[in-house]
Amino acid sequence: MIEKDFIPSAYNHTITEGKVSYKSPSNIALVKYWGKKENQLPQNPSISFTLDACATTTKISFKRLNKPSEEYSFDLLFEGNSKEDFKPKIKTFFTRIEVYLPFLKEYHFTIETSNSFPHSSGIASSASGMSALALCLVALEKQLNPEMSDDFFTKKVSFLARLGSGSACRSIEGDIVQWGNHENTEGSSDLFGIKYPYKVHDNFKRFHDTILLVDKGQKQVSSTVGHNLMHNHPFATQRFKQAHENLDKLIAVFESGDLKEFIAIVESEALTLHAMMMTSMPYFILMKPNTLEIINKIWEFREKSNSNVCFTLDAGANVHVLYPENEKDVVFQFIKDELIGYCENQQYICDRIGFGAKQLKMNA
Ligand code: PMV
C-alpha cells in the first residue's frame, strides 16, 4: 500500500452527531525505533510487545457544524479538566492527517482523555494517546463510509497514529506488532504496524513487564529531538543495519522459544538505544544512577538463579523488567525485595503482554 491509498473518496453517508470511545494500550519495543525520515517514516524496522495495563481511554463527542470552520474546532479535557497545553499537539496532528480525514473541519469535537497510569510517571503516553485518538477518528470515518473493511480500518488507524507519534502505530493490535520494512517479514511496511505474522513459542505468550519508575520527572531531551540526532550520527548506518539483523534473529527466537537468545537481543537493543543517545552530537544521558543499579541487580540475580528475567529501556530512566509467566512468582519476589528500593517513591506498574485496543460502549 502507498500513502495515497489512505485518502478517501467522497463519503456516501452523513452523520450530524455522535460519540465514540476507545481504550488503547502502550507498547514496549524489543527492537527499537530510533531515527526517522520525513513524514514519520522509520529509519529501521522495530517490534514491540503490546501492553495491557498502561493505556489511554479517549472519548470523542462530535457535532457537525453548519459550515466548515476555518481552524479545527475542538475542546480537550484531560482527566476531567480542560487542558490548553495539550491543544497544540492535537492541532499539529490534525494538520498532518487532514488530507486522510477531510471531514476534520466539518465537526466540532469534544475530546475527553485519561490515562490508566499516574500522570508524570515518566511513562510515555504518546503511543497510547495518539492511537486512542486515531481510533476514535477512524471510527467516525467508518460511520461516513460503512463499507470500510476491518483490515483497512486497522491499517488506517495505525497509519494515522504513526503521524502522531511513530511508536503509536504499534499500539492498535496485540500481542506482538512489527513496524517498518523488513525484507524477511511478509507484509511489513514503513507506513503502519502489522501483527507479527509468524510462529510465536508458548514461552512468549504471557510475558510480564513490571515497569520500575526510576525517575518520574520530565525527560530532558524529547524523543523528537533524539530521533533527529540520528541524522549525521557517526554510527547511524551500522545501527539501522543491526536492527534488521536483530529482527531476523528474533524471528528465529520467537519460533524456537530460546529465552537466552531473546535476553541477549533485547538487552543489547536497550543499551544500543542509549548508546546512540550518548554518542550523538550533542550527546545526552537519560539513564540515572538507579537505572544502572537495577540493571546490575538483574544481571546478578540472573547469574545466581539462572532465571530468564531481563530488562529493556525506553527513552528515559525507567526500567521495564521482562519475564516469562512460569517465573512470575520468583521474579516478582526478587523485584519487591531488591529493585523497588531504587524507584522514586517505591513506585512501579505491573503490566504484561496485551491484545490491543478496544472499543468502549457509549451510553446514548
Ligand atoms: O514514538 P516516539 O517518537 O516517541 O519514539 C519512541 C522511541 C522509543 O520508545 C525509544 C523506541 C520505540 O521503538 O518505541
Side-chain angles (χ1 to χ4, degrees), residues 27-34 36 40 46-48 124 126-127 164-168 170 179 219 223-224 227 273 277 313-316:
N27 67 75
I28 181 68
L30 305 170
V31 171
K32 309 287 182 182
Y33 149 60
W34 197 245
K36 61 180 159 187
Q40 303 266 101
S46 59
I47 192 164
S48 50
S126 59
S165 164
S167 59
R170 298 188 313 241
W179 166 43
K219 283 188 276 187
S223 55
T224 309
H227 284 294
L273 168 69
M277 300 173 188
L313 307 167
D314 53 20

Side-chain angles (χ1 to χ4, degrees), residues 1-9 100 152 156 159 191:
M1 288 180 84
I2 57 169
E3 267 114 337
K4 268 213 195 114
D5 297 332
F6 294 102
I7 300 177
S9 38
Y100 306 106
F152 185 81
K156 181 151 184 180
F159 174 86
L191 299 179

Side-chain angles (χ1 to χ4, degrees), residues 128-157:
S128 54
M130 285 299 172
S131 54
L133 187 55
L135 278 154
C136 292
L137 293 171
V138 183
L140 163 56
E141 185 179 49
K142 194 170 157 63
Q143 296 184 27
L144 300 169
N145 171 23
E147 285 80 48
M148 187 189 292
S149 72
D150 291 347
D151 179 60
F152 185 81
F153 176 89
T154 307
K155 285 202 171 84
K156 181 151 184 180
V157 173

Side-chain angles (χ1 to χ4, degrees), residues 40-230:
Q40 303 266 101
L41 296 171
Q43 288 277 15
N44 65 257
S46 59
I47 192 164
S48 50
F49 281 157
T50 304
L51 295 179
D52 182 46
C54 288
T56 299
T57 297
T58 297
K59 174 172 129 187
I60 294 192
S61 314
F62 51 90
K63 208 173 184 146
R64 201 179 156 88
L65 300 163
N66 294 332
K67 62 175 186 26
S69 59
E70 299 271 298
E71 262 309 321
Y72 305 108
S73 171
F74 66 97
D75 299 313
L76 186 71
L77 297 168
F78 178 67
E79 287 168 5
N81 301 310
S82 158
K83 194 82 183 159
E84 289 301 310
D85 45 333
F86 279 11
K87 281 183 126 179
K89 216 172 169 185
I90 308 272
K91 227 175 116 177
T92 307
F93 180 53
F94 278 5
T95 310
R96 282 188 198 161
I97 65 173
E98 195 187 354
V99 55
Y100 306 106
L101 296 178
F103 58 81
L104 285 179
K105 287 193 175 134
E106 292 170 15
Y107 286 89
H108 177 77
F109 301 102
T110 304
I111 306 168
E112 294 169 71
T113 181
S114 61
N115 292 334
S116 64
F117 41 91
H119 187 47
S120 77
S121 55
I123 304 259
S125 56
S126 59
S128 54
M130 285 299 172
S131 54
L133 187 55
L135 278 154
C136 292
L137 293 171
V138 183
L140 163 56
E141 185 179 49
K142 194 170 157 63
Q143 296 184 27
L144 300 169
N145 171 23
E147 285 80 48
M148 187 189 292
S149 72
D150 291 347
D151 179 60
F152 185 81
F153 176 89
T154 307
K155 285 202 171 84
K156 181 151 184 180
V157 173
S158 178
F159 174 86
L160 296 180
R162 188 198 92 235
L163 293 170
S165 164
S167 59
C169 79
R170 298 188 313 241
S171 273
I172 324 303
E173 295 177 280
D175 43 353
I176 302 177
V177 175
Q178 189 171 322
W179 166 43
N181 283 330
H182 176 241
E183 79 167 321
N184 296 321
T185 308
E186 217 184 307
S188 61
S189 169
D190 280 353
L191 299 179
F192 46 78
I194 58 162
K195 195 170 151 57
Y196 177 69
Y198 302 122
K199 192 171 161 240
V200 179
H201 192 280
D202 281 351
N203 281 352
F204 301 106
K205 285 285 159 71
R206 290 165 61 79
F207 239 68
H208 291 258
D209 178 4
T210 302
I211 308 164
L212 305 179
L213 305 180
V214 171
D215 183 38
K216 304 196 292 157
Q218 188 83 31
K219 283 188 276 187
Q220 298 117 310
V221 181
S222 72
S223 55
T224 309
V225 172
H227 284 294
N228 281 334
L229 292 173
M230 288 304 282

